[in-house]
Amino acid sequence: MDELVKRVSEKTGLSEDQAKTAVETVLGYLKENLPAPIAEQVEKALSGDEGVDLEGLAKGLGGMLGKK
């Protein structure tokens, strides 16, 4: 998650504390609104877990967004 916070900070000009708050807010929203298996994969990916099925995650998110 640190890498994401850094990128948000760099791209937006927000301080790292503000970027962290923004990232945590978005992650909270995703956890509440994505199906549990997809939300768990997103959480694992952001924590650096190597056991993440990125292809499955991409397909799941794409399917939710109307893409095949």
Side-chain angles (χ1 to χ4, degrees), residues 10-30:
E10 290 171 356
K11 295 279 184 176
T12 64
L14 295 172
S15 70
E16 287 203 16
D17 286 340
Q18 291 170 317
K20 183 175 181 180
T21 299
V23 168
E24 289 173 345
T25 300
V26 171
L27 290 177
Y29 177 83
L30 292 174

Side-chain angles (χ1 to χ4, degrees), residues 1 5 26 41 50:
M1 185 167 90
V5 169
V26 171
Q41 290 295 313
E50 293 182 16

Side-chain angles (χ1 to χ4, degrees), residues 2-3 8 12 27 31 33-35 40-41 43 45 47 50-51 53-54 56 62 68:
D2 292 337
E3 182 180 337
V8 169
T12 64
L27 290 177
K31 287 181 195 177
N33 292 284
L34 289 174
E40 289 171 13
Q41 290 295 313
E43 181 72 28
S47 68
E50 293 182 16
D53 176 12
L54 292 177
K68 296 182 181 183

